[in-house]
Short mmCIF file of all heavy atoms in Angstrom, two decimals:
data_model
loop_
_atom_site.label_atom_id
_atom_site.label_comp_id
_atom_site.label_asym_id
_atom_site.label_seq_id
_atom_site.Cartn_x
_atom_site.Cartn_y
_atom_site.Cartn_z
N LEU A 19 54.48 -52.88 -129.88
CA LEU A 19 53.56 -52.46 -128.80
C LEU A 19 53.93 -53.15 -127.49
O LEU A 19 53.85 -52.56 -126.41
CB LEU A 19 52.12 -52.80 -129.19
CG LEU A 19 51.53 -51.98 -130.34
CD1 LEU A 19 50.20 -52.56 -130.81
CD2 LEU A 19 51.34 -50.52 -129.91
N ARG A 20 54.36 -54.41 -127.61
CA ARG A 20 54.74 -55.16 -126.41
C ARG A 20 55.99 -54.56 -125.77
O ARG A 20 56.08 -54.47 -124.54
CB ARG A 20 55.00 -56.61 -126.81
CG ARG A 20 54.35 -57.52 -125.87
CD ARG A 20 54.02 -58.89 -126.33
NE ARG A 20 54.91 -59.59 -127.18
CZ ARG A 20 54.58 -60.04 -128.39
NH1 ARG A 20 53.37 -59.85 -128.86
NH2 ARG A 20 55.44 -60.71 -129.10
N ASN A 21 56.94 -54.16 -126.59
CA ASN A 21 58.15 -53.52 -126.04
C ASN A 21 57.80 -52.23 -125.31
O ASN A 21 58.38 -51.92 -124.27
CB ASN A 21 59.16 -53.23 -127.15
CG ASN A 21 59.79 -54.51 -127.65
OD1 ASN A 21 59.78 -55.54 -126.96
ND2 ASN A 21 60.32 -54.49 -128.87
N LYS A 22 56.82 -51.49 -125.86
CA LYS A 22 56.38 -50.26 -125.19
C LYS A 22 55.74 -50.57 -123.85
O LYS A 22 55.93 -49.84 -122.87
CB LYS A 22 55.34 -49.54 -126.06
CG LYS A 22 55.96 -48.60 -127.05
CD LYS A 22 54.90 -47.62 -127.54
CE LYS A 22 55.40 -46.88 -128.75
NZ LYS A 22 54.30 -46.41 -129.59
N LEU A 23 54.94 -51.64 -123.83
CA LEU A 23 54.30 -52.04 -122.57
C LEU A 23 55.36 -52.41 -121.53
O LEU A 23 55.28 -52.00 -120.37
CB LEU A 23 53.35 -53.24 -122.83
CG LEU A 23 52.72 -53.87 -121.59
CD1 LEU A 23 51.83 -52.88 -120.84
CD2 LEU A 23 51.90 -55.11 -121.98
N VAL A 24 56.39 -53.14 -121.96
CA VAL A 24 57.46 -53.53 -121.04
C VAL A 24 58.15 -52.28 -120.48
O VAL A 24 58.43 -52.19 -119.28
CB VAL A 24 58.48 -54.47 -121.76
CG1 VAL A 24 59.76 -54.62 -120.96
CG2 VAL A 24 57.83 -55.83 -122.02
N LYS A 25 58.35 -51.30 -121.34
CA LYS A 25 58.99 -50.05 -120.92
C LYS A 25 58.12 -49.35 -119.86
O LYS A 25 58.62 -48.87 -118.84
CB LYS A 25 59.17 -49.17 -122.16
CG LYS A 25 59.96 -47.93 -121.92
CD LYS A 25 60.44 -47.31 -123.26
CE LYS A 25 60.95 -45.92 -123.01
NZ LYS A 25 59.98 -44.88 -123.44
N LYS A 26 56.81 -49.34 -120.11
CA LYS A 26 55.89 -48.71 -119.16
C LYS A 26 55.92 -49.43 -117.80
O LYS A 26 55.92 -48.79 -116.75
CB LYS A 26 54.46 -48.72 -119.74
CG LYS A 26 53.50 -47.88 -118.94
CD LYS A 26 52.10 -47.85 -119.53
CE LYS A 26 52.01 -47.05 -120.82
NZ LYS A 26 50.69 -47.29 -121.49
N LEU A 27 55.97 -50.75 -117.83
CA LEU A 27 55.99 -51.52 -116.57
C LEU A 27 57.28 -51.26 -115.80
O LEU A 27 57.27 -51.16 -114.57
CB LEU A 27 55.82 -53.01 -116.85
CG LEU A 27 54.49 -53.42 -117.49
CD1 LEU A 27 54.45 -54.92 -117.75
CD2 LEU A 27 53.31 -53.01 -116.60
N ARG A 28 58.36 -51.11 -116.53
CA ARG A 28 59.65 -50.76 -115.92
C ARG A 28 59.52 -49.39 -115.23
O ARG A 28 59.94 -49.22 -114.09
CB ARG A 28 60.70 -50.71 -117.02
CG ARG A 28 62.07 -51.19 -116.63
CD ARG A 28 63.03 -50.92 -117.78
NE ARG A 28 62.97 -51.92 -118.84
CZ ARG A 28 63.63 -53.07 -118.81
NH1 ARG A 28 64.40 -53.37 -117.81
NH2 ARG A 28 63.54 -53.93 -119.81
N GLU A 29 58.91 -48.44 -115.94
CA GLU A 29 58.73 -47.09 -115.37
C GLU A 29 57.85 -47.13 -114.13
O GLU A 29 58.02 -46.35 -113.20
CB GLU A 29 58.09 -46.15 -116.40
CG GLU A 29 59.07 -45.68 -117.46
CD GLU A 29 58.38 -45.13 -118.71
OE1 GLU A 29 57.14 -44.90 -118.70
OE2 GLU A 29 59.09 -44.94 -119.70
N LYS A 30 56.89 -48.07 -114.12
CA LYS A 30 55.99 -48.17 -112.96
C LYS A 30 56.64 -48.94 -111.80
O LYS A 30 55.99 -49.16 -110.79
CB LYS A 30 54.68 -48.85 -113.37
CG LYS A 30 53.76 -47.97 -114.21
CD LYS A 30 52.40 -48.63 -114.43
CE LYS A 30 51.41 -47.67 -115.09
NZ LYS A 30 50.11 -48.34 -115.34
N GLY A 31 57.86 -49.42 -111.98
CA GLY A 31 58.57 -50.01 -110.84
C GLY A 31 58.83 -51.51 -110.90
O GLY A 31 59.37 -52.08 -109.96
N ILE A 32 58.44 -52.17 -111.99
CA ILE A 32 58.75 -53.60 -112.11
C ILE A 32 60.22 -53.74 -112.49
O ILE A 32 60.69 -53.12 -113.44
CB ILE A 32 57.85 -54.28 -113.18
CG1 ILE A 32 56.35 -54.08 -112.85
CG2 ILE A 32 58.21 -55.76 -113.34
CD1 ILE A 32 55.86 -54.68 -111.56
N LYS A 33 60.96 -54.56 -111.70
CA LYS A 33 62.41 -54.62 -111.88
C LYS A 33 62.92 -55.98 -112.37
O LYS A 33 63.99 -56.06 -112.94
CB LYS A 33 63.10 -54.32 -110.55
CG LYS A 33 62.93 -52.89 -110.11
CD LYS A 33 63.85 -52.56 -108.95
CE LYS A 33 63.70 -51.13 -108.52
NZ LYS A 33 62.35 -50.86 -107.94
N ASP A 34 62.15 -57.02 -112.07
CA ASP A 34 62.62 -58.38 -112.37
C ASP A 34 62.71 -58.58 -113.89
O ASP A 34 61.69 -58.62 -114.58
CB ASP A 34 61.63 -59.38 -111.72
CG ASP A 34 62.11 -60.81 -111.82
OD1 ASP A 34 62.75 -61.18 -112.84
OD2 ASP A 34 61.81 -61.58 -110.89
N GLU A 35 63.95 -58.72 -114.37
CA GLU A 35 64.16 -58.80 -115.82
C GLU A 35 63.51 -60.04 -116.42
O GLU A 35 63.05 -60.01 -117.56
CB GLU A 35 65.66 -58.77 -116.16
CG GLU A 35 66.31 -57.42 -115.93
CD GLU A 35 65.67 -56.27 -116.75
OE1 GLU A 35 65.22 -56.52 -117.89
OE2 GLU A 35 65.62 -55.14 -116.23
N ALA A 36 63.47 -61.13 -115.67
CA ALA A 36 62.85 -62.36 -116.21
C ALA A 36 61.35 -62.15 -116.40
O ALA A 36 60.77 -62.60 -117.40
CB ALA A 36 63.13 -63.53 -115.27
N VAL A 37 60.72 -61.44 -115.46
CA VAL A 37 59.28 -61.17 -115.57
C VAL A 37 59.02 -60.24 -116.75
O VAL A 37 58.11 -60.48 -117.57
CB VAL A 37 58.74 -60.54 -114.25
CG1 VAL A 37 57.30 -60.07 -114.43
CG2 VAL A 37 58.84 -61.55 -113.10
N LEU A 38 59.84 -59.21 -116.88
CA LEU A 38 59.67 -58.27 -118.00
C LEU A 38 59.88 -58.99 -119.34
O LEU A 38 59.12 -58.77 -120.30
CB LEU A 38 60.64 -57.10 -117.86
CG LEU A 38 60.34 -56.15 -116.69
CD1 LEU A 38 61.54 -55.25 -116.40
CD2 LEU A 38 59.10 -55.30 -116.97
N ALA A 39 60.85 -59.88 -119.38
CA ALA A 39 61.11 -60.62 -120.62
C ALA A 39 59.92 -61.53 -120.96
O ALA A 39 59.54 -61.66 -122.13
CB ALA A 39 62.39 -61.44 -120.50
N ALA A 40 59.32 -62.14 -119.94
CA ALA A 40 58.15 -63.01 -120.17
C ALA A 40 57.00 -62.19 -120.74
O ALA A 40 56.33 -62.61 -121.70
CB ALA A 40 57.74 -63.71 -118.87
N ILE A 41 56.78 -60.99 -120.20
CA ILE A 41 55.71 -60.12 -120.72
C ILE A 41 56.03 -59.70 -122.15
O ILE A 41 55.15 -59.59 -123.00
CB ILE A 41 55.48 -58.93 -119.77
CG1 ILE A 41 54.82 -59.50 -118.51
CG2 ILE A 41 54.63 -57.82 -120.43
CD1 ILE A 41 54.43 -58.55 -117.47
N GLY A 42 57.31 -59.54 -122.43
CA GLY A 42 57.75 -59.21 -123.79
C GLY A 42 57.55 -60.36 -124.78
O GLY A 42 57.52 -60.13 -125.98
N ARG A 43 57.43 -61.58 -124.26
CA ARG A 43 57.28 -62.74 -125.16
C ARG A 43 55.83 -63.18 -125.37
O ARG A 43 55.49 -63.67 -126.45
CB ARG A 43 58.09 -63.93 -124.63
CG ARG A 43 59.58 -63.83 -124.90
CD ARG A 43 60.29 -65.16 -124.69
NE ARG A 43 60.15 -65.65 -123.31
CZ ARG A 43 61.00 -65.35 -122.33
NH1 ARG A 43 62.04 -64.58 -122.54
NH2 ARG A 43 60.80 -65.83 -121.12
N VAL A 44 54.99 -63.08 -124.35
CA VAL A 44 53.62 -63.63 -124.49
C VAL A 44 52.76 -62.68 -125.32
O VAL A 44 52.61 -61.51 -124.97
CB VAL A 44 52.97 -63.88 -123.10
CG1 VAL A 44 51.54 -64.41 -123.27
CG2 VAL A 44 53.81 -64.88 -122.30
N PRO A 45 52.18 -63.16 -126.44
CA PRO A 45 51.38 -62.31 -127.32
C PRO A 45 50.01 -62.02 -126.69
O PRO A 45 49.04 -62.73 -126.91
CB PRO A 45 51.23 -63.15 -128.58
CG PRO A 45 51.37 -64.57 -128.12
CD PRO A 45 52.26 -64.55 -126.91
N ARG A 46 49.92 -60.95 -125.91
CA ARG A 46 48.70 -60.66 -125.16
C ARG A 46 47.50 -60.43 -126.08
O ARG A 46 46.37 -60.72 -125.72
CB ARG A 46 48.94 -59.43 -124.26
CG ARG A 46 47.86 -59.22 -123.19
CD ARG A 46 48.33 -58.23 -122.14
NE ARG A 46 47.45 -58.21 -120.98
CZ ARG A 46 46.46 -57.36 -120.79
NH1 ARG A 46 46.20 -56.44 -121.69
NH2 ARG A 46 45.71 -57.41 -119.71
N HIS A 47 47.77 -59.93 -127.30
CA HIS A 47 46.64 -59.60 -128.19
C HIS A 47 45.83 -60.84 -128.60
O HIS A 47 44.66 -60.72 -128.90
CB HIS A 47 47.13 -58.85 -129.44
CG HIS A 47 48.07 -59.62 -130.29
ND1 HIS A 47 49.41 -59.78 -129.98
CD2 HIS A 47 47.89 -60.29 -131.45
CE1 HIS A 47 49.99 -60.51 -130.92
NE2 HIS A 47 49.09 -60.82 -131.82
N VAL A 48 46.44 -62.01 -128.58
CA VAL A 48 45.67 -63.19 -129.00
C VAL A 48 44.65 -63.63 -127.94
O VAL A 48 43.80 -64.47 -128.20
CB VAL A 48 46.57 -64.39 -129.42
CG1 VAL A 48 47.56 -63.99 -130.49
CG2 VAL A 48 47.29 -65.00 -128.23
N PHE A 49 44.72 -63.03 -126.74
CA PHE A 49 43.75 -63.33 -125.69
C PHE A 49 42.52 -62.42 -125.79
O PHE A 49 41.61 -62.50 -124.99
CB PHE A 49 44.39 -63.15 -124.31
CG PHE A 49 45.47 -64.16 -124.03
CD1 PHE A 49 46.77 -63.95 -124.49
CD2 PHE A 49 45.20 -65.33 -123.34
CE1 PHE A 49 47.77 -64.88 -124.25
CE2 PHE A 49 46.19 -66.26 -123.10
CZ PHE A 49 47.48 -66.04 -123.55
N PHE A 50 42.52 -61.51 -126.77
CA PHE A 50 41.46 -60.51 -126.88
C PHE A 50 40.51 -60.81 -128.02
O PHE A 50 40.93 -61.33 -129.07
CB PHE A 50 42.08 -59.12 -127.13
CG PHE A 50 42.59 -58.47 -125.89
CD1 PHE A 50 43.63 -59.04 -125.18
CD2 PHE A 50 42.03 -57.30 -125.42
CE1 PHE A 50 44.10 -58.45 -124.02
CE2 PHE A 50 42.49 -56.70 -124.27
CZ PHE A 50 43.53 -57.27 -123.57
N ASP A 51 39.23 -60.44 -127.83
CA ASP A 51 38.28 -60.50 -128.94
C ASP A 51 38.67 -59.43 -129.95
O ASP A 51 39.21 -58.40 -129.59
CB ASP A 51 36.86 -60.18 -128.44
CG ASP A 51 36.33 -61.28 -127.55
OD1 ASP A 51 36.83 -62.42 -127.64
OD2 ASP A 51 35.42 -60.99 -126.74
N ASP A 52 38.32 -59.68 -131.21
CA ASP A 52 38.68 -58.74 -132.28
C ASP A 52 38.32 -57.30 -131.96
O ASP A 52 39.12 -56.40 -132.21
CB ASP A 52 37.99 -59.14 -133.60
CG ASP A 52 38.66 -60.38 -134.19
OD1 ASP A 52 39.77 -60.73 -133.71
OD2 ASP A 52 38.08 -60.98 -135.11
N ALA A 53 37.14 -57.09 -131.40
CA ALA A 53 36.66 -55.73 -131.16
C ALA A 53 37.54 -54.99 -130.15
O ALA A 53 37.55 -53.76 -130.13
CB ALA A 53 35.22 -55.77 -130.67
N LEU A 54 38.25 -55.74 -129.31
CA LEU A 54 39.04 -55.10 -128.25
C LEU A 54 40.54 -55.12 -128.56
O LEU A 54 41.35 -54.61 -127.78
CB LEU A 54 38.78 -55.81 -126.92
CG LEU A 54 37.38 -55.63 -126.35
CD1 LEU A 54 37.18 -56.54 -125.14
CD2 LEU A 54 37.14 -54.18 -125.94
N LEU A 55 40.88 -55.68 -129.73
CA LEU A 55 42.29 -55.88 -130.09
C LEU A 55 43.19 -54.66 -129.90
O LEU A 55 44.32 -54.78 -129.43
CB LEU A 55 42.39 -56.29 -131.56
CG LEU A 55 42.63 -57.77 -131.83
CD1 LEU A 55 42.83 -57.99 -133.32
CD2 LEU A 55 43.83 -58.27 -131.05
N ILE A 56 42.65 -53.49 -130.27
CA ILE A 56 43.48 -52.28 -130.20
C ILE A 56 43.88 -51.95 -128.77
O ILE A 56 44.77 -51.13 -128.55
CB ILE A 56 42.77 -51.05 -130.84
CG1 ILE A 56 41.37 -50.91 -130.27
CG2 ILE A 56 42.76 -51.13 -132.36
CD1 ILE A 56 40.77 -49.52 -130.49
#
Side-chain angles (χ1 to χ4, degrees):
L19 291 170
R20 226 156 38 239
N21 289 339
K22 271 198 193 155
L23 174 62
V24 166
K25 187 164 167 256
K26 190 178 289 169
L27 296 178
R28 216 186 279 276
E29 283 162 12
K30 287 187 172 178
I32 303 297
K33 292 191 179 66
D34 187 326
E35 289 301 326
V37 172
L38 291 165
I41 289 183
R43 282 195 299 271
V44 178
R46 193 166 192 264
H47 62 282
V48 305
F49 294 84
F50 280 63
D51 291 338
D52 286 347
L54 292 171
L55 258 185
I56 50 162

